[in-house]
Amino acid sequence: MDEKNVDSQDSQRVAAWRVAAWRVAAWRVAAWRVALKNFSSQWFLIPQGTGILAVILHNLHYQFRGLDHISQIFWVITIATLASFLVIYLLRVVFFLRHVAHEISQNSMETACLSSISIAFTTIYIMIVLNLLPWGRGWGMAAYVMYWVNVVMAATACIGIPYVFTKLEGPGIDEISPAVFLPLIAALTLAAGGGVTCQYSQLGANLQVPVIILSYLFVGMPLPLSVAFDGMFLVRLFDKAVPRQQKVYQLMIICGPPGQASFALQMLGTCVKSGAFATYDTSSFIGHSSASAIGTTSQVLGLVYWGYATFWWAFASIAVLHDTISSPKTVLRWDQSLTAWSLVFPWGVYTNAAVQLGVTLNSRAFWIWQTVLALLLVIIWLGNAFATIVGLGTGAVIGLNKGWAGHYHTSNGEAVAALPRSRWTTRKRWMAARERHSRANSYVRQR
């Protein structure tokens, strides 16, 4: 009888230790919290890509009935996704501040994709200028104000994010990702948005000229730096450190700076030649005598930079095709990552520059080429959208490897950190919990 009582007491003790070990080792976490923690800034690649597609469909030379409505649908999707993703990302910051801070300081992709907020915002007010002016000139002023708000965001992205790259992350040449070009694209996109706003918003020269001058500055600020980054990335490529599998899609980002610079220079040159400088006429530089020379030079440089963008567009396209042929299963994994969205916006700015060249040169060759590029871009966007929706349904794209109905638990350290501060206020208590967990596991193994 005594032996049975002893065995029973030992069994109860073992069970109690198991429960204690489990409670300390891991705490169950709701799937939505795991998804929220994994909601990275790469999600902002979606609204920026959707926004440029809306602009391209609106400006294509060859139009069919209803294409403008399709463009507006993409515009609404851009607004909805940017607003919702901003709310979700802010919630992520509130719930997981320490994790987000660590990611921003250590993960270059996480840091770089924050500049996509400014880029997507630019496409929104470009579409305002292109669509809503018939409803009143006030919409042009609204876009003008949004431009100046975006100046702060673009300048912060272009200057602040590269500083974080060099000061906090410092990955080295071998680890440089094409994502480092995104902050530069943000500044160039601001310049492009300034050109569109001045050309179509029906504002006076006194409002246009400051925007034109500042937009030229925002072309000069990132463009030489992008050329330097091109050189560093070429060193990596010649060292056979070519991105593989899902990361190969990021190569398309490299054609973004010259492509966007091409469009920005063309639009700014058009604004100068349209009479903004001649009307303002305050100096020999900003006046009637210089307007034609500055505008034409700007447009010629736009053509030159489009040629430079063509090299990187072709290089990235070949690399993606090569990797897809050698590893076809890569395409089937689009629902597990957002990396393929890196294709959309750079392809879009390259196409948009071709659209503007068709206007500048009045060239049928560019009319045809822009249509081909736009059709391919729509296919890429639809493929990405379908894969992302499937990935959201399964949870794979948001880090839920067991699905939305799966059970998720934190690790030992995360479990203790997640407990209320009133219970775990000192390192001594945390160490005591770890010690109890260790003793429990040791006791269970002995039994």
Side-chain angles (χ1 to χ4, degrees), residues 23-359:
R23 286 179 176 175
V24 175
W27 281 48
R28 184 170 175 177
V29 179
W32 69 267
R33 289 183 65 92
V34 178
L36 182 62
K37 186 176 182 179
N38 293 329
F39 190 89
S40 70
S41 60
Q42 289 188 52
W43 284 89
F44 294 113
L45 295 173
I46 297 177
Q48 79 169 20
T50 308
I52 194 63
L53 181 56
V55 174
I56 291 169
L57 294 180
H58 183 277
N59 293 335
L60 273 178
H61 179 79
Y62 295 118
Q63 295 277 325
F64 59 85
R65 186 176 181 180
L67 185 58
D68 56 337
H69 297 303
I70 297 174
S71 170
Q72 291 166 4
I73 290 172
F74 280 107
W75 178 33
V76 172
I77 294 173
T78 302
I79 297 172
T81 52
L82 180 61
S84 59
F85 292 169
L86 273 173
V87 171
I88 296 172
Y89 197 83
L90 289 175
L91 287 174
R92 182 193 185 214
V93 172
V94 171
F95 280 88
F96 306 102
L97 178 59
R98 187 175 299 177
H99 173 73
V100 174
H102 178 268
E103 286 293 302
I104 290 175
S105 63
Q106 302 297 326
N107 187 342
S108 62
M109 192 67 180
E110 178 78 21
T111 311
C113 287
L114 290 174
S115 57
S116 297
I117 300 172
S118 171
I119 297 171
F121 185 71
T122 305
T123 63
I124 290 173
Y125 65 77
I126 286 177
M127 287 296 290
I128 288 177
V129 172
L130 296 177
N131 286 276
L132 299 184
L133 279 184
W135 292 10
R137 295 182 61 182
W139 288 107
M141 182 57 67
Y144 182 80
V145 173
M146 292 173 72
Y147 169 86
W148 286 104
V149 171
N150 197 26
V151 166
V152 178
M153 292 193 291
T156 302
C158 185
I159 300 172
I161 293 179
Y163 180 82
V164 173
F165 288 155
T166 56
K167 186 68 175 180
L168 300 181
E169 295 172 1
I173 299 295
D174 293 340
E175 298 297 327
I176 287 180
S177 166
V180 299
F181 290 90
L182 284 174
L184 311 183
I185 296 175
L188 291 166
T189 304
L190 173 79
V196 175
T197 302
C198 291
Q199 182 65 19
Y200 296 104
S201 60
Q202 301 176 6
L203 299 172
N206 61 325
L207 296 178
Q208 289 188 39
V209 171
V211 172
I212 293 172
I213 297 299
L214 187 63
S215 296
Y216 271 118
L217 291 176
F218 269 86
V219 172
M221 185 165 57
L223 203 52
L225 190 58
S226 74
V227 175
F229 282 178
D230 287 344
M232 288 189 293
F233 198 77
L234 274 173
V235 170
R236 177 186 172 184
L237 294 178
F238 278 116
D239 202 30
K240 297 183 179 181
V242 181
R244 299 293 182 185
Q245 297 181 355
Q246 293 286 328
K247 291 185 178 181
V248 74
Y249 303 121
Q250 296 179 11
L251 283 174
M252 189 61 70
I253 300 177
I254 306 178
C255 91
Q260 193 67 293
S262 172
F263 177 76
L265 288 168
Q266 290 180 73
M267 285 305 307
L268 293 172
T270 302
C271 293
V272 172
K273 293 173 70 175
S274 296
F277 273 27
T279 304
Y280 202 72
D281 199 16
T282 57
S283 66
S284 59
F285 179 74
I286 305 176
H288 179 76
S289 59
S290 62
S292 179
I294 293 175
T296 302
T297 303
S298 185
Q299 291 174 331
V300 170
L301 287 174
L303 177 61
V304 171
Y305 271 104
W306 189 80
Y308 185 35
T310 300
F311 167 80
W312 282 114
W313 174 84
F315 185 93
S317 299
I318 294 171
V320 170
L321 286 174
H322 184 201
D323 194 79
T324 302
I325 293 171
S326 60
S327 180
K329 293 183 179 179
T330 302
V331 179
L332 300 177
R333 291 195 291 270
W334 277 19
D335 64 330
Q336 301 176 15
S337 172
L338 296 169
T339 312
W341 280 101
S342 302
L343 290 169
V344 181
F345 187 81
W347 189 299
V349 297
Y350 175 73
T351 305
N352 201 33
V355 171
Q356 188 59 32
L357 280 171
V359 176

